[in-house]
Amino acid sequence: MRNFNNEAYECLTSDLIGDIFYTETSYRGKISEVRQYAEVIVRKLLDIDPDEKVTLGEKEIKNRICALPNCAFLMKAMSTIKGDGDKATHTRYLARMTEEEFETIMDSLFNMLAFLLINYFEVYEFGSRNDVLYSFSMLPPIIRYKVLNFLYEKNSDNVVIIDKLVLAILKAFDADEANAWIEERECELRQKSTMTKEIKDSIMQEYEDDEKEGEEVIAILEMIGSQNMYELCKRKIEMVGNAIEQRGPLYLDFESALLVYKENGILEGDEPEIQEFNDIMEFLYLGRKRKNSKNMQ
């Protein structure tokens, strides 16, 4: 039986998320709340009993973190949050906390959230299940980017990771950034074959609202002879980029993706792989509020 239960932390997480994202408080206040939220993430990662004390700098906590796979990535994020969090909570630091400091600590917070999925895919290979990929695609692009970028650095041979990473770069940043990533790795990508079943499934997921259009994209790619990942990635950036320009992005953050996730992203099945994934996704969306339609991006 697990010690950490998402429901038990719903009220606390809702308060922290609300103060960080939905209220007009000072950066000092927001950064202090980020530190508390980071401690909740650590509790989740280490499956810590609610009655057990947790602080980011505690030696025992660090030792337990260091026993996790890929711990250096997490430790770096925790160190940043602890450093700025200490300044935000201690009265001996008299200067005003800046927007730049807040953005830095938020980047580390997103790294901590991404770590939950990074270690999930350490156990269950990315691309091995279409239903997991489908739900994963409902996360904000910046979270997907952080997860996929880390996975690519560890396994650059997985073409599904490459396919999804290029699109995450496009959606989290822009087409120029995505194309620059592709061009930098042209030689490597030209050596990787494409149009596998996994890639076709991946394309269909990008067009889940219009299967006919997805089939047409696959047909076009096959017709023009996209025989390697370089050609495929370039063509997909062009096609998906044009679609985004015409329709706008479906969502950019947790708030605008919440309804889509609630309606379509919770997977069915009692296999450990599915239960663990649903548990992580539930935690990632815990405390989030849906954006009003007028504020949708």
Side-chain angles (χ1 to χ4, degrees):
M1 182 176 178
R2 293 178 178 176
N3 292 308
F4 189 98
N5 181 283
N6 289 336
E7 291 183 3
Y9 284 85
E10 186 169 5
C11 290
L12 172 60
T13 301
S14 295
D15 285 346
L16 296 173
I17 292 290
D19 290 343
I20 296 167
F21 295 99
Y22 309 142
T23 60
E24 295 296 329
T25 59
S26 67
Y27 289 127
R28 180 183 292 271
K30 290 179 182 294
I31 289 172
S32 178
E33 301 286 346
V34 169
R35 175 172 176 151
Q36 292 183 64
Y37 185 36
E39 290 181 357
V40 175
I41 298 171
V42 169
R43 287 181 178 276
K44 174 72 173 175
L45 285 165
L46 299 179
D47 192 29
I48 294 177
D49 188 282
D51 293 329
E52 185 178 339
K53 181 182 178 181
V54 170
T55 57
L56 296 185
E58 186 179 351
K59 183 176 180 180
E60 182 182 349
I61 294 298
K62 287 183 176 181
N63 289 339
R64 292 172 67 177
I65 290 291
C66 287
L68 297 175
N70 309 308
C71 63
F73 181 83
L74 180 61
M75 287 295 292
K76 182 178 179 181
M78 287 174 53
S79 177
T80 299
I81 292 173
K82 181 181 182 302
D84 283 346
D86 285 348
K87 291 193 297 183
T89 55
H90 294 163
T91 55
R92 66 175 179 271
Y93 185 77
L94 304 180
R96 186 183 300 275
M97 305 296 291
T98 66
E99 181 178 3
E100 182 178 357
E101 288 173 307
F102 177 67
E103 293 298 331
T104 296
I105 203 172
M106 285 304 302
D107 185 66
S108 292
L109 177 63
F110 287 154
N111 283 341
M112 290 190 69
L113 294 175
F115 186 83
L116 289 159
L117 285 162
I118 286 170
N119 274 15
Y120 170 84
F121 290 119
E122 185 81 21
V123 178
Y124 306 105
E125 182 182 6
F126 187 90
S128 62
R129 292 190 64 125
N130 290 331
D131 51 357
V132 169
L133 285 180
Y134 179 69
S135 184
F136 177 80
S137 71
M138 297 173 192
L139 289 166
I142 189 61
I143 300 296
R144 281 182 274 158
Y145 164 74
K146 287 179 176 294
V147 173
L148 291 164
N149 188 59
F150 188 94
L151 295 179
Y152 172 79
E153 292 297 329
K154 291 198 71 173
N155 180 14
S156 61
D157 291 329
N158 186 322
V159 293
V160 181
I161 291 176
I162 295 171
D163 177 64
K164 293 296 188 182
L165 175 55
V166 167
L167 292 175
I169 295 171
L170 168 67
K171 295 174 181 179
F173 305 105
D174 55 37
D176 289 341
E177 191 81 13
N179 279 314
W181 189 94
I182 296 168
E183 294 298 337
E184 185 178 342
R185 296 161 180 81
E186 178 179 358
C187 292
E188 172 194 338
L189 296 176
R190 285 192 182 277
Q191 299 300 314
K192 300 184 186 301
S193 61
T194 186
M195 297 316 293
T196 62
K197 179 183 182 299
E198 290 79 10
I199 291 296
K200 290 180 180 179
D201 289 342
S202 174
I203 292 172
M204 291 303 295
Q205 288 164 11
E206 295 298 324
Y207 293 89
E208 67 264 18
D209 296 327
D210 191 338
E211 290 188 4
K212 183 179 178 181
E213 185 173 356
E215 292 169 354
E216 290 175 353
V217 169
I218 291 174
I220 291 171
L221 292 171
E222 290 179 327
M223 180 179 65
I224 63 177
S226 295
Q227 298 299 315
N228 59 67
M229 286 304 295
Y230 174 80
E231 294 171 355
L232 177 66
C233 288
K234 292 290 286 186
R235 179 61 64 176
K236 286 190 70 175
I237 290 301
E238 180 181 354
M239 289 182 168
V240 177
N242 288 339
I244 291 174
E245 285 186 8
Q246 294 173 8
R247 306 172 186 174
L250 289 175
Y251 37 78
L252 291 175
D253 50 31
F254 285 106
E255 288 71 27
S256 54
L258 179 59
L259 180 62
V260 181
Y261 166 70
K262 290 290 187 181
E263 292 182 346
N264 303 300
I266 302 173
L267 305 182
E268 296 183 358
D270 56 5
E271 309 100 305
E273 183 175 2
I274 293 302
Q275 291 184 335
E276 289 177 32
F277 183 80
N278 279 338
D279 183 67
I280 293 170
M281 291 290 284
E282 181 183 61
F283 178 79
L284 292 175
Y285 277 97
L286 204 63
R288 300 287 178 169
K289 295 180 180 179
R290 182 186 172 192
K291 277 187 177 177
N292 295 326
S293 58
K294 66 180 181 179
N295 292 328
M296 292 284 283
Q297 298 189 49

